[in-house]
Amino acid sequence: MRWRRLTRNRLSFAALCVIFAVTLASLLAPWLAPYDPDNTDAEATLLSVSLRHPLGTDVYGRDQLSRVIHAGRVDLLVALSATAIALTLGSALGAGAGYRGGWVDQLVMRGVDAVMAFPAFILAMAITAALGNSIANVVAAIAITHVPIYTRLIRGEMLRVRETEYADAARTVGNRPHQIVLYHLLPNCVPPLVVQATLAMGFAILTVAALSFIGLGIQPPQSEWGQMTAEGAGYVVSGEWWLVLFPGFAIMLTVLAFNLVGDTLRDLLDPRMRGVR
């Protein structure tokens, strides 16, 4: 029923198709890309859009289409890894704080408040600048900035569900606290987590692209949308518009698709929104 409602909405269905297409192209990049993304050609530098190079070439003669396709693998991998780590850590911290309460809740939430006191992107910049520009460090930086979001979300849900009748029944039959949380309470907190994770994917892609754009993210010669946009920014004035347009459009389209799907999922999974559309 919910799947039909999701696909019936033309905008959300188009966004799903975009996510599927970008993911599939990234997975099949070695076979879909017409050229090696790192292969340079001194005789083919800064070529405009053509049949041989559908998205043109860069200053080193590298095929832009091949680089955009391969860059999708990096951006999606970083975003998915960071979201998964933040979701796992944030859910564990939020569940423990919300269920136990007391000093555990105070300790966790004060730590969350300390992290959220810094703007997320500024904190990610500081972490990558301190740790280095590797993919693992970028993933860690984005994950750390996202953990408080899931912690607060799950804590709020846990405060609500721990007082329900099925929670009391689980305690009455002798389940241990970790069993109650894992098997009875957390499954009922999944819908808001799904929505938040979908929206966070878009933000994570934006963050890694922004970090790479300012030189603190993925480093050359690795293909990455933000880093490609930064490389091409200096050539827009001289007329090489394709160097910025296509990687920038890939960022915009992918982030917009995740945001549209997340917004639709919120409407479908939130009981208060049922019947609105």
Side-chain angles (χ1 to χ4, degrees), residues 105-255:
D105 184 35
Q106 290 295 321
L107 180 63
V108 171
M109 296 316 297
R110 296 298 75 77
V112 167
D113 291 341
V115 175
M116 296 189 72
F118 297 91
F121 184 67
I122 301 299
L123 181 58
M125 287 175 54
I127 293 172
T128 52
L131 299 181
N133 305 99
S134 68
I135 292 180
N137 291 337
V138 173
V139 169
I142 298 175
I144 290 172
T145 61
H146 283 200
V147 165
I149 300 174
Y150 296 102
T151 303
R152 291 173 66 92
L153 177 63
I154 290 299
R155 175 184 177 269
E157 289 294 311
M158 195 62 60
L159 290 174
R160 177 182 62 85
V161 299
R162 75 177 184 178
E163 304 299 335
T164 56
E165 292 182 357
Y166 60 83
D168 291 335
R171 283 187 285 265
T172 301
V173 298
N175 286 301
R176 296 181 178 180
H178 72 275
Q179 293 175 318
I180 297 173
V181 171
L182 289 177
Y183 300 120
H184 301 282
L185 302 186
L186 269 182
N188 291 281
C189 303
V190 168
L193 280 179
V194 172
V195 175
Q196 182 57 49
T198 306
L199 294 171
M201 280 290 295
F203 182 76
I205 291 173
L206 271 181
T207 303
V208 65
L211 288 173
S212 300
F213 186 87
I214 62 176
L216 292 175
I218 310 302
Q219 298 298 301
Q222 176 69 59
S223 300
E224 195 281 324
W225 289 334
Q227 183 258 333
M228 291 174 64
T229 305
E231 286 184 349
Y235 295 90
V236 175
V237 177
S238 57
E240 286 78 21
W241 50 269
W242 59 89
L243 297 179
V244 171
L245 176 63
F246 295 119
F249 182 74
I251 297 171
M252 182 202 71
L253 191 63
T254 307
V255 173

Side-chain angles (χ1 to χ4, degrees), residues 1 5 266-277:
M1 179 63 180
R5 290 180 61 189
R266 182 199 62 192
D267 295 344
L268 294 178
L269 298 176
D270 189 344
R272 295 169 296 181
M273 302 296 294
R274 290 174 187 169
V276 174
R277 291 186 177 183

